[in-house]
Amino acid sequence: MTPKPSELVLPPDLIPSDGRFGSGPSKVRAEAVAALVDAAPGYLGTSHRRDGVRSVVRRVREGISALFQLPDGYEVLLSNGGTTVFWDSAAFGLIETRSQHLVFGEFSSKFASVTRNAPHLEEPEVIETGPSTHPLPHASAAVDAYCFPHNETSTGVMLDPRRPEGATPDQLVLVDATSGAGGLRFDPAQTDVYYFAPQKCFGGDGGLWLAACSPAAIGRIERIGASGRWVPPSLDLAIALEQSRLEQTYNTPALATVFLLAHQIEWMLHEGGIEWCASRCDRSAEILYGWAEASSFATPFVEKPDERSHVTATIDFDEAVDAPALARALRANGIVDTEPYRKLGRNQLRVGIFPAVEPEDVATLTHAIDWLVERLG
Ligand SMILES: *Cc1c(COP(=O)(O)O)cnc(C)c1O
């Protein structure tokens, strides 16, 4: 008789040092939490308009500029609400009349539906493929913004963010880097707005958005801000710009979130910056996809190797393997959040392999899966 998934107890050497493999919220490093506890008495519960907190916001903004090696004139904006709220802000404050969207999964499709439903914008151009690959943007005189994700977290497909050939300098490239930022290499000069939230590669908590903006993007924000278009103040990027320059947010942020983010950015910089982070993610990806390719029952969901995400890996399983039962068995052993994106509806596991995750733990995870599959029958 096959045992129940929740009754299978992994041998101790098949338990990773940290069992958090979620694609967001993702593993928060114990060192960051300890640093927050140490700083708490003089930090938590103090005014976000005073130096104590504003200096941490400054560390975040300067740290992001250094981490991404932003070109001159690029500025880091931040405000409350996470990426989903940033989409609404972008529809108000960055897109003038019409946008083009690449859609190849849940998150890219959500942003396209925001602009489709915005009454002040024209019907967006949407270029779509199935979820196991990605389309490419193409220059279009009808649009003023090109929108696509760096990494489609729902499917584990990544792309290299580039301006479409033939795009004009007044057309903006808006990249949803929520899960890619901090773990994947990119050329900031190919982007005008590279936006993200801290709960993926930055191993922090959600609820905040950040956006690295080019001078062209800043110009667009200022122009729309002065145009008389009605914008709810909490979504107004002109206000976010003004507040960010003062090292604060328009309304009160979660101070713990800001602290954890600053700590993680400085950890990344200290270890060697984006190149170090991306190399670590490359290593985890190689372990996981290499294992799946060699396995008799698992295969990478994404066919083309260069489109396989190095931050959120998706692995399909043969019909003979019950992937939901496997995820339950892992969970019962403290290895959590390997379930796939629900709406994708695949017999799959999805593994967050962000910079905070130890590649060694990824290797242990593959051995744990082998062990469980053998016993689940
Ligand atoms: C997680 C994620 C989002 C949503 O982020 P929230 O901060 O929860 O709104 C959007 N886009 C991508 C690519 C993501 O990975």
Side-chain angles (χ1 to χ4, degrees):
M1 214 184 80
T2 9
K4 278 201 197 141
S6 57
E7 287 167 356
L8 284 168
V9 179
L10 282 167
D13 61 327
L14 295 186
I15 307 272
S17 71
D18 197 297
R20 290 172 290 180
F21 291 100
S23 294
S26 65
K27 174 182 170 185
V28 178
R29 290 167 47 255
E31 294 83 350
V33 177
L36 174 62
V37 170
D38 283 348
Y43 176 77
L44 291 181
T46 72
S47 170
H48 66 296
R49 311 231 182 258
R50 297 288 165 180
D51 272 351
V53 176
R54 284 169 67 192
S55 67
V56 180
V57 173
R58 182 178 300 113
R59 280 164 51 198
V60 165
R61 294 180 67 238
E62 290 178 358
I64 289 295
S65 292
L67 189 67
F68 296 156
Q69 300 184 310
L70 295 178
D72 278 353
Y74 277 60
E75 291 188 61
V76 178
L77 275 55
L78 75 168
S79 196
N80 287 311
T83 296
T84 303
V85 166
F86 185 78
W87 289 329
D88 294 329
S89 295
F92 275 114
L94 277 166
I95 299 168
E96 219 143 79
T97 55
R98 193 175 198 189
S99 47
Q100 181 184 100
H101 296 259
L102 301 188
V103 170
F104 50 105
E106 185 64 15
F107 292 110
S108 46
S109 125
K110 275 187 171 160
F111 188 21
S113 74
V114 166
T115 61
R116 189 179 298 117
N117 294 323
H120 61 283
L121 298 178
E122 288 172 22
E123 181 75 16
E125 286 183 5
V126 173
I127 308 174
E128 197 163 356
T129 58
S132 62
T133 183
H134 68 77
L136 288 171
H138 56 70
S140 162
V143 306
D144 55 77
Y146 300 95
C147 310
F148 48 83
H150 194 174
N151 182 71
E152 179 45 88
T153 320
S154 66
T155 59
V157 173
M158 65 175 187
L159 58 71
D160 182 25
R162 310 210 129 266
R163 290 181 195 282
E165 196 143 341
T168 54
D170 59 329
Q171 296 178 311
L172 302 180
V173 173
L174 315 185
V175 179
D176 177 357
T178 309
S179 57
L184 302 179
R185 299 168 188 83
F186 77 110
D187 174 3
Q190 294 288 332
T191 73
D192 291 294
V193 183
Y194 187 79
Y195 61 93
F196 55 96
Q199 73 274 22
K200 317 256 166 125
C201 286
F202 290 96
D205 243 338
L208 198 69
W209 62 254
L210 295 102
C213 297
S214 72
I218 303 282
R220 177 78 63 87
I221 290 169
E222 287 171 341
R223 194 165 65 249
I224 293 179
S227 71
R229 175 186 284 180
W230 176 76
V231 179
S234 64
L235 301 179
D236 191 334
L237 291 177
I239 292 177
L241 172 63
E242 178 187 297
Q243 294 294 316
S244 300
R245 283 173 173 166
L246 296 171
E247 316 295 356
Q248 56 190 21
T249 48
Y250 178 52
N251 64 315
T252 317
L255 301 191
T257 300
V258 174
F259 184 94
L260 291 174
L261 176 57
H263 196 274
Q264 178 81 348
I265 293 168
E266 284 161 7
W267 173 70
M268 289 167 152
L269 284 167
H270 178 261
E271 296 292 339
I274 281 291
E275 191 46 46
W276 181 83
C277 296
S279 301
R280 208 162 135 87
C281 297
D282 292 347
R283 204 149 67 246
S284 292
E286 199 181 309
I287 292 167
L288 204 51
Y289 294 125
W291 160 81
E293 288 199 307
S295 161
S296 59
F297 54 81
T299 26
F301 168 58
V302 179
E303 211 169 302
K304 294 185 195 146
D306 63 345
E307 294 180 353
R308 286 177 194 157
S309 172
H310 287 199
V311 281
T312 55
T314 44
I315 306 292
D316 271 357
F317 288 85
D318 275 3
E319 277 171 38
V321 177
D322 179 350
L326 183 54
R328 276 199 303 284
L330 288 167
R331 188 172 283 282
N333 285 279
I335 302 171
V336 302
D337 300 338
T338 59
E339 290 83 1
Y341 199 78
R342 205 171 11 92
K343 287 193 202 156
L344 197 56
R346 309 275 310 181
N347 192 41
Q348 184 177 94
L349 294 185
R350 181 179 57 158
V351 184
I353 44 173
F354 299 120
V357 171
E358 300 295 335
E360 202 46 48
D361 280 348
V362 177
T364 307
L365 171 65
T366 63
H367 302 319
I369 294 173
D370 284 338
W371 191 92
L372 289 169
V373 166
E374 202 173 295
R375 282 154 186 85
L376 283 168

